[in-house]
Amino acid sequence: MSQCGLLERSGQDAWSGHDLFFHTRTRRGYARTLIGKSTLEGKSDHQFRTTAIANDDRRLVLEPPLLSSLFATDPPFAAVSARRQSVRRQGSMALTSGQLSEFLFRTLCEQGGRRPYPSGGASYPLQTYLAVNRCRGVAPGLYAYDATAHELIAVGGPGLGLERLLADAAGTANVVEPPQILLVLTADYRRMRRLYEDLSYSLILKEVGAVFQVAMMAAAAMGLGTCPLGCGDSLLFSELIGVDPAIETSVGELMLGSLE
Ligand SMILES: Cc1cc2nc3c(=O)[nH]c(=O)nc-3n(C[C@H](O)[C@H](O)[C@H](O)COP(=O)(O)O)c2cc1C
């Protein structure tokens, strides 16, 4: 282990053992095992399914935006790109359900088996939840987003757990006010592992980054504020949705709200 540099060393300039292990298991050249797509490839099934909503069908239908009006009124790409930035302090007037619908449509909605962001093997292992604190037209609570139907499904009401989740996000962004909405991305690791074996977790995290970027560009185009977060509490979130974290666990968080 020492020869391979796997022992934790005290210096800050050395790789930590777990990062090095993760790196060498997910890049070619180090491993003696083959890495890549499994030959036992399962059927890529990315229909909406999460254990959290198995007993709950409270659906909130979202009105999708008119594509023709987006084509006609969107700012040019160069302007959107120049405008994109992390926004931690949000406005006092909360965003509306219409804006939320448009944002979700631009960022996550699945049409014809495709989504606005890339996914390894088009497997789409990520599921989105929304912790709604303040949104005009959507009651506070925890919702799952059905990307194929473009609908929200209530999975939990307001309460201490939701408050902790939102306060945790505010702390991570170093602000006092909790976000109007916190997007939480979860993954079903086991389903990804059937397809990609040891590459699975690194592919999941790369996909989270792709969602972050699409979300930030959509928000910039719409005049909303987003900020990706580097960490969140996976166990707290699993507890909130009532799902075993070994089955579905949170892997990314992003704050969303109106501009000041
Ligand atoms: C993976 C990732 C994690 C981040 N984590 C945090 C975070 O935990 N808290 C925060 O306030 N900003 C976070 N950010 C936002 C960065 O601080 C921000 O992107 C950076 O300062 C550059 O600013 P800009 O996005 O406005 O261009 C994160 C960004 C990325 C891509």
PDB file of all heavy atoms in Angstrom, residues 83-88 169-175 208-209 212 216 226-231 253 255, ligand 1:
ATOM      1  N   ARG A  83     -23.746  36.226 -18.808  1.00  0.00           N
ATOM      2  CA  ARG A  83     -24.548  36.561 -17.629  1.00  0.00           C
ATOM      3  C   ARG A  83     -24.480  35.485 -16.544  1.00  0.00           C
ATOM      4  O   ARG A  83     -24.749  35.752 -15.383  1.00  0.00           O
ATOM      5  CB  ARG A  83     -26.010  36.696 -18.105  1.00  0.00           C
ATOM      6  CG  ARG A  83     -26.886  37.562 -17.265  1.00  0.00           C
ATOM      7  CD  ARG A  83     -28.314  37.476 -17.766  1.00  0.00           C
ATOM      8  NE  ARG A  83     -28.578  38.252 -18.956  1.00  0.00           N
ATOM      9  CZ  ARG A  83     -29.689  38.120 -19.685  1.00  0.00           C
ATOM     10  NH1 ARG A  83     -30.611  37.243 -19.358  1.00  0.00           N
ATOM     11  NH2 ARG A  83     -29.867  38.874 -20.743  1.00  0.00           N
ATOM     12  N   ARG A  84     -24.144  34.244 -16.932  1.00  0.00           N
ATOM     13  CA  ARG A  84     -24.179  33.132 -15.965  1.00  0.00           C
ATOM     14  C   ARG A  84     -23.248  33.386 -14.782  1.00  0.00           C
ATOM     15  O   ARG A  84     -22.088  33.723 -14.949  1.00  0.00           O
ATOM     16  CB  ARG A  84     -23.755  31.820 -16.638  1.00  0.00           C
ATOM     17  CG  ARG A  84     -23.870  30.612 -15.701  1.00  0.00           C
ATOM     18  CD  ARG A  84     -22.766  29.593 -15.888  1.00  0.00           C
ATOM     19  NE  ARG A  84     -21.431  30.110 -15.638  1.00  0.00           N
ATOM     20  CZ  ARG A  84     -20.880  30.247 -14.421  1.00  0.00           C
ATOM     21  NH1 ARG A  84     -21.537  29.908 -13.333  1.00  0.00           N
ATOM     22  NH2 ARG A  84     -19.656  30.735 -14.294  1.00  0.00           N
ATOM     23  N   GLN A  85     -23.797  33.301 -13.603  1.00  0.00           N
ATOM     24  CA  GLN A  85     -22.962  33.393 -12.399  1.00  0.00           C
ATOM     25  C   GLN A  85     -23.675  32.742 -11.230  1.00  0.00           C
ATOM     26  O   GLN A  85     -24.882  32.537 -11.266  1.00  0.00           O
ATOM     27  CB  GLN A  85     -22.622  34.849 -12.075  1.00  0.00           C
ATOM     28  CG  GLN A  85     -23.828  35.707 -11.754  1.00  0.00           C
ATOM     29  CD  GLN A  85     -23.436  37.102 -11.277  1.00  0.00           C
ATOM     30  OE1 GLN A  85     -22.322  37.312 -10.821  1.00  0.00           O
ATOM     31  NE2 GLN A  85     -24.352  38.038 -11.361  1.00  0.00           N
ATOM     32  N   SER A  86     -22.917  32.402 -10.186  1.00  0.00           N
ATOM     33  CA  SER A  86     -23.512  31.816  -8.989  1.00  0.00           C
ATOM     34  C   SER A  86     -24.183  32.914  -8.182  1.00  0.00           C
ATOM     35  O   SER A  86     -23.555  33.929  -7.878  1.00  0.00           O
ATOM     36  CB  SER A  86     -22.435  31.141  -8.141  1.00  0.00           C
ATOM     37  OG  SER A  86     -21.833  30.103  -8.877  1.00  0.00           O
ATOM     38  N   VAL A  87     -25.454  32.717  -7.871  1.00  0.00           N
ATOM     39  CA  VAL A  87     -26.209  33.716  -7.111  1.00  0.00           C
ATOM     40  C   VAL A  87     -26.606  33.104  -5.777  1.00  0.00           C
ATOM     41  O   VAL A  87     -27.344  32.117  -5.731  1.00  0.00           O
ATOM     42  CB  VAL A  87     -27.468  34.161  -7.891  1.00  0.00           C
ATOM     43  CG1 VAL A  87     -28.308  35.122  -7.064  1.00  0.00           C
ATOM     44  CG2 VAL A  87     -27.079  34.800  -9.217  1.00  0.00           C
ATOM     45  N   ARG A  88     -26.087  33.674  -4.712  1.00  0.00           N
ATOM     46  CA  ARG A  88     -26.356  33.120  -3.368  1.00  0.00           C
ATOM     47  C   ARG A  88     -27.444  33.893  -2.641  1.00  0.00           C
ATOM     48  O   ARG A  88     -28.198  33.321  -1.889  1.00  0.00           O
ATOM     49  CB  ARG A  88     -25.064  33.104  -2.544  1.00  0.00           C
ATOM     50  CG  ARG A  88     -24.009  32.213  -3.176  1.00  0.00           C
ATOM     51  CD  ARG A  88     -22.662  32.307  -2.499  1.00  0.00           C
ATOM     52  NE  ARG A  88     -21.702  31.495  -3.241  1.00  0.00           N
ATOM     53  CZ  ARG A  88     -21.035  31.894  -4.319  1.00  0.00           C
ATOM     54  NH1 ARG A  88     -21.209  33.123  -4.787  1.00  0.00           N
ATOM     55  NH2 ARG A  88     -20.194  31.079  -4.938  1.00  0.00           N
ATOM     56  N   ALA A 169     -28.339  24.068   3.299  1.00  0.00           N
ATOM     57  CA  ALA A 169     -27.956  24.634   1.995  1.00  0.00           C
ATOM     58  C   ALA A 169     -27.487  26.069   2.169  1.00  0.00           C
ATOM     59  O   ALA A 169     -26.463  26.478   1.607  1.00  0.00           O
ATOM     60  CB  ALA A 169     -29.144  24.566   1.034  1.00  0.00           C
ATOM     61  N   ALA A 170     -28.244  26.851   2.966  1.00  0.00           N
ATOM     62  CA  ALA A 170     -27.849  28.252   3.185  1.00  0.00           C
ATOM     63  C   ALA A 170     -26.462  28.316   3.811  1.00  0.00           C
ATOM     64  O   ALA A 170     -25.620  29.129   3.409  1.00  0.00           O
ATOM     65  CB  ALA A 170     -28.880  28.944   4.076  1.00  0.00           C
ATOM     66  N   GLY A 171     -26.202  27.439   4.780  1.00  0.00           N
ATOM     67  CA  GLY A 171     -24.888  27.407   5.433  1.00  0.00           C
ATOM     68  C   GLY A 171     -23.787  27.072   4.437  1.00  0.00           C
ATOM     69  O   GLY A 171     -22.704  27.668   4.465  1.00  0.00           O
ATOM     70  N   THR A 172     -24.057  26.146   3.536  1.00  0.00           N
ATOM     71  CA  THR A 172     -23.049  25.748   2.540  1.00  0.00           C
ATOM     72  C   THR A 172     -22.741  26.909   1.593  1.00  0.00           C
ATOM     73  O   THR A 172     -21.616  27.039   1.106  1.00  0.00           O
ATOM     74  CB  THR A 172     -23.550  24.517   1.749  1.00  0.00           C
ATOM     75  OG1 THR A 172     -23.952  23.512   2.683  1.00  0.00           O
ATOM     76  CG2 THR A 172     -22.486  23.953   0.841  1.00  0.00           C
ATOM     77  N   ALA A 173     -23.754  27.746   1.330  1.00  0.00           N
ATOM     78  CA  ALA A 173     -23.538  28.910   0.460  1.00  0.00           C
ATOM     79  C   ALA A 173     -23.117  30.131   1.269  1.00  0.00           C
ATOM     80  O   ALA A 173     -22.960  31.220   0.710  1.00  0.00           O
ATOM     81  CB  ALA A 173     -24.807  29.214  -0.322  1.00  0.00           C
ATOM     82  N   ASN A 174     -22.978  29.949   2.580  1.00  0.00           N
ATOM     83  CA  ASN A 174     -22.547  31.034   3.458  1.00  0.00           C
ATOM     84  C   ASN A 174     -23.503  32.236   3.448  1.00  0.00           C
ATOM     85  O   ASN A 174     -23.070  33.379   3.407  1.00  0.00           O
ATOM     86  CB  ASN A 174     -21.118  31.462   3.068  1.00  0.00           C
ATOM     87  CG  ASN A 174     -20.383  32.082   4.231  1.00  0.00           C
ATOM     88  OD1 ASN A 174     -20.773  31.884   5.386  1.00  0.00           O
ATOM     89  ND2 ASN A 174     -19.345  32.847   3.942  1.00  0.00           N
ATOM     90  N   VAL A 175     -24.798  31.957   3.409  1.00  0.00           N
ATOM     91  CA  VAL A 175     -25.805  33.025   3.504  1.00  0.00           C
ATOM     92  C   VAL A 175     -26.763  32.691   4.654  1.00  0.00           C
ATOM     93  O   VAL A 175     -26.833  31.546   5.104  1.00  0.00           O
ATOM     94  CB  VAL A 175     -26.611  33.208   2.183  1.00  0.00           C
ATOM     95  CG1 VAL A 175     -25.756  33.811   1.104  1.00  0.00           C
ATOM     96  CG2 VAL A 175     -27.227  31.891   1.724  1.00  0.00           C
ATOM     97  N   VAL A 208     -23.953  15.064 -12.651  1.00  0.00           N
ATOM     98  CA  VAL A 208     -24.414  16.141 -11.755  1.00  0.00           C
ATOM     99  C   VAL A 208     -23.829  17.476 -12.244  1.00  0.00           C
ATOM    100  O   VAL A 208     -24.535  18.484 -12.319  1.00  0.00           O
ATOM    101  CB  VAL A 208     -23.996  15.864 -10.290  1.00  0.00           C
ATOM    102  CG1 VAL A 208     -24.222  17.090  -9.416  1.00  0.00           C
ATOM    103  CG2 VAL A 208     -24.767  14.678  -9.730  1.00  0.00           C
ATOM    104  N   GLY A 209     -22.559  17.463 -12.625  1.00  0.00           N
ATOM    105  CA  GLY A 209     -21.914  18.685 -13.137  1.00  0.00           C
ATOM    106  C   GLY A 209     -22.591  19.181 -14.409  1.00  0.00           C
ATOM    107  O   GLY A 209     -22.775  20.390 -14.593  1.00  0.00           O
ATOM    108  N   PHE A 212     -25.776  20.859 -13.402  1.00  0.00           N
ATOM    109  CA  PHE A 212     -25.463  22.178 -12.820  1.00  0.00           C
ATOM    110  C   PHE A 212     -25.338  23.224 -13.933  1.00  0.00           C
ATOM    111  O   PHE A 212     -25.906  24.312 -13.859  1.00  0.00           O
ATOM    112  CB  PHE A 212     -24.132  22.142 -12.062  1.00  0.00           C
ATOM    113  CG  PHE A 212     -24.193  21.562 -10.660  1.00  0.00           C
ATOM    114  CD1 PHE A 212     -23.022  21.394  -9.928  1.00  0.00           C
ATOM    115  CD2 PHE A 212     -25.392  21.207 -10.066  1.00  0.00           C
ATOM    116  CE1 PHE A 212     -23.051  20.891  -8.633  1.00  0.00           C
ATOM    117  CE2 PHE A 212     -25.432  20.683  -8.774  1.00  0.00           C
ATOM    118  CZ  PHE A 212     -24.248  20.525  -8.055  1.00  0.00           C
ATOM    119  N   MET A 216     -27.734  26.413 -14.668  1.00  0.00           N
ATOM    120  CA  MET A 216     -27.244  27.789 -14.530  1.00  0.00           C
ATOM    121  C   MET A 216     -27.493  28.594 -15.804  1.00  0.00           C
ATOM    122  O   MET A 216     -27.820  29.786 -15.751  1.00  0.00           O
ATOM    123  CB  MET A 216     -25.754  27.799 -14.182  1.00  0.00           C
ATOM    124  CG  MET A 216     -25.484  27.217 -12.806  1.00  0.00           C
ATOM    125  SD  MET A 216     -23.791  27.487 -12.266  1.00  0.00           S
ATOM    126  CE  MET A 216     -23.930  29.081 -11.475  1.00  0.00           C
ATOM    127  N   THR A 226     -29.176  30.964  -9.558  1.00  0.00           N
ATOM    128  CA  THR A 226     -28.865  29.592  -9.109  1.00  0.00           C
ATOM    129  C   THR A 226     -27.483  29.592  -8.488  1.00  0.00           C
ATOM    130  O   THR A 226     -26.625  30.404  -8.845  1.00  0.00           O
ATOM    131  CB  THR A 226     -28.822  28.584 -10.281  1.00  0.00           C
ATOM    132  OG1 THR A 226     -28.044  29.148 -11.319  1.00  0.00           O
ATOM    133  CG2 THR A 226     -30.184  28.198 -10.776  1.00  0.00           C
ATOM    134  N   CYS A 227     -27.252  28.646  -7.593  1.00  0.00           N
ATOM    135  CA  CYS A 227     -25.902  28.416  -7.080  1.00  0.00           C
ATOM    136  C   CYS A 227     -25.738  26.935  -6.812  1.00  0.00           C
ATOM    137  O   CYS A 227     -26.492  26.346  -6.025  1.00  0.00           O
ATOM    138  CB  CYS A 227     -25.664  29.215  -5.789  1.00  0.00           C
ATOM    139  SG  CYS A 227     -23.977  29.008  -5.158  1.00  0.00           S
ATOM    140  N   PRO A 228     -24.755  26.301  -7.488  1.00  0.00           N
ATOM    141  CA  PRO A 228     -24.487  24.893  -7.204  1.00  0.00           C
ATOM    142  C   PRO A 228     -23.823  24.772  -5.840  1.00  0.00           C
ATOM    143  O   PRO A 228     -23.107  25.677  -5.432  1.00  0.00           O
ATOM    144  CB  PRO A 228     -23.522  24.460  -8.318  1.00  0.00           C
ATOM    145  CG  PRO A 228     -22.977  25.698  -8.913  1.00  0.00           C
ATOM    146  CD  PRO A 228     -23.808  26.863  -8.474  1.00  0.00           C
ATOM    147  N   LEU A 229     -24.072  23.682  -5.145  1.00  0.00           N
ATOM    148  CA  LEU A 229     -23.451  23.488  -3.835  1.00  0.00           C
ATOM    149  C   LEU A 229     -22.520  22.277  -3.879  1.00  0.00           C
ATOM    150  O   LEU A 229     -22.791  21.302  -4.578  1.00  0.00           O
ATOM    151  CB  LEU A 229     -24.526  23.298  -2.757  1.00  0.00           C
ATOM    152  CG  LEU A 229     -25.492  24.473  -2.593  1.00  0.00           C
ATOM    153  CD1 LEU A 229     -26.552  24.156  -1.546  1.00  0.00           C
ATOM    154  CD2 LEU A 229     -24.748  25.759  -2.234  1.00  0.00           C
ATOM    155  N   GLY A 230     -21.440  22.361  -3.125  1.00  0.00           N
ATOM    156  CA  GLY A 230     -20.419  21.311  -3.159  1.00  0.00           C
ATOM    157  C   GLY A 230     -20.744  20.129  -2.272  1.00  0.00           C
ATOM    158  O   GLY A 230     -20.136  19.056  -2.409  1.00  0.00           O
ATOM    159  N   CYS A 231     -21.694  20.286  -1.359  1.00  0.00           N
ATOM    160  CA  CYS A 231     -21.976  19.186  -0.435  1.00  0.00           C
ATOM    161  C   CYS A 231     -23.386  19.302   0.140  1.00  0.00           C
ATOM    162  O   CYS A 231     -23.949  20.395   0.221  1.00  0.00           O
ATOM    163  CB  CYS A 231     -20.948  19.216   0.697  1.00  0.00           C
ATOM    164  SG  CYS A 231     -20.934  17.689   1.643  1.00  0.00           S
ATOM    165  N   GLU A 253     -26.693  19.192  -5.027  1.00  0.00           N
ATOM    166  CA  GLU A 253     -27.674  20.194  -4.610  1.00  0.00           C
ATOM    167  C   GLU A 253     -27.428  21.504  -5.356  1.00  0.00           C
ATOM    168  O   GLU A 253     -26.270  21.841  -5.642  1.00  0.00           O
ATOM    169  CB  GLU A 253     -27.572  20.490  -3.096  1.00  0.00           C
ATOM    170  CG  GLU A 253     -28.061  19.385  -2.177  1.00  0.00           C
ATOM    171  CD  GLU A 253     -27.059  18.257  -1.983  1.00  0.00           C
ATOM    172  OE1 GLU A 253     -25.885  18.435  -2.402  1.00  0.00           O
ATOM    173  OE2 GLU A 253     -27.419  17.206  -1.439  1.00  0.00           O
ATOM    174  N   MET A 255     -29.162  25.633  -5.477  1.00  0.00           N
ATOM    175  CA  MET A 255     -30.174  26.584  -5.001  1.00  0.00           C
ATOM    176  C   MET A 255     -30.788  27.305  -6.203  1.00  0.00           C
ATOM    177  O   MET A 255     -30.097  27.616  -7.171  1.00  0.00           O
ATOM    178  CB  MET A 255     -29.540  27.632  -4.082  1.00  0.00           C
ATOM    179  CG  MET A 255     -28.784  27.037  -2.896  1.00  0.00           C
ATOM    180  SD  MET A 255     -28.510  28.222  -1.554  1.00  0.00           S
ATOM    181  CE  MET A 255     -27.779  29.607  -2.387  1.00  0.00           C
TER     182      MET A 255
HETATM  183  C1  LIG B   1     -19.016  21.564  -8.047  1.00  0.00           C
HETATM  184  C2  LIG B   1     -19.271  22.934  -7.495  1.00  0.00           C
HETATM  185  C3  LIG B   1     -19.450  23.106  -6.148  1.00  0.00           C
HETATM  186  C4  LIG B   1     -19.733  24.362  -5.609  1.00  0.00           C
HETATM  187  N1  LIG B   1     -19.973  24.474  -4.283  1.00  0.00           N
HETATM  188  C5  LIG B   1     -20.353  25.666  -3.780  1.00  0.00           C
HETATM  189  C6  LIG B   1     -20.730  25.762  -2.409  1.00  0.00           C
HETATM  190  O1  LIG B   1     -20.740  24.776  -1.669  1.00  0.00           O
HETATM  191  N2  LIG B   1     -21.092  26.981  -1.933  1.00  0.00           N
HETATM  192  C7  LIG B   1     -21.116  28.095  -2.724  1.00  0.00           C
HETATM  193  O2  LIG B   1     -21.472  29.162  -2.229  1.00  0.00           O
HETATM  194  N3  LIG B   1     -20.765  28.026  -4.037  1.00  0.00           N
HETATM  195  C8  LIG B   1     -20.402  26.841  -4.575  1.00  0.00           C
HETATM  196  N4  LIG B   1     -20.092  26.735  -5.915  1.00  0.00           N
HETATM  197  C9  LIG B   1     -20.098  27.931  -6.762  1.00  0.00           C
HETATM  198  C10 LIG B   1     -18.677  28.430  -6.978  1.00  0.00           C
HETATM  199  O3  LIG B   1     -18.222  29.063  -5.806  1.00  0.00           O
HETATM  200  C11 LIG B   1     -18.679  29.391  -8.169  1.00  0.00           C
HETATM  201  O4  LIG B   1     -18.993  28.673  -9.333  1.00  0.00           O
HETATM  202  C12 LIG B   1     -17.328  30.083  -8.338  1.00  0.00           C
HETATM  203  O5  LIG B   1     -17.089  30.966  -7.272  1.00  0.00           O
HETATM  204  C13 LIG B   1     -17.254  30.859  -9.642  1.00  0.00           C
HETATM  205  O6  LIG B   1     -18.256  31.849  -9.665  1.00  0.00           O
HETATM  206  P1  LIG B   1     -19.380  31.904 -10.804  1.00  0.00           P
HETATM  207  O7  LIG B   1     -20.144  30.608 -10.779  1.00  0.00           O
HETATM  208  O8  LIG B   1     -20.263  33.055 -10.400  1.00  0.00           O
HETATM  209  O9  LIG B   1     -18.712  32.103 -12.116  1.00  0.00           O
HETATM  210  C14 LIG B   1     -19.796  25.499  -6.453  1.00  0.00           C
HETATM  211  C15 LIG B   1     -19.581  25.314  -7.829  1.00  0.00           C
HETATM  212  C16 LIG B   1     -19.344  24.058  -8.339  1.00  0.00           C
HETATM  213  C17 LIG B   1     -19.156  23.876  -9.825  1.00  0.00           C
END
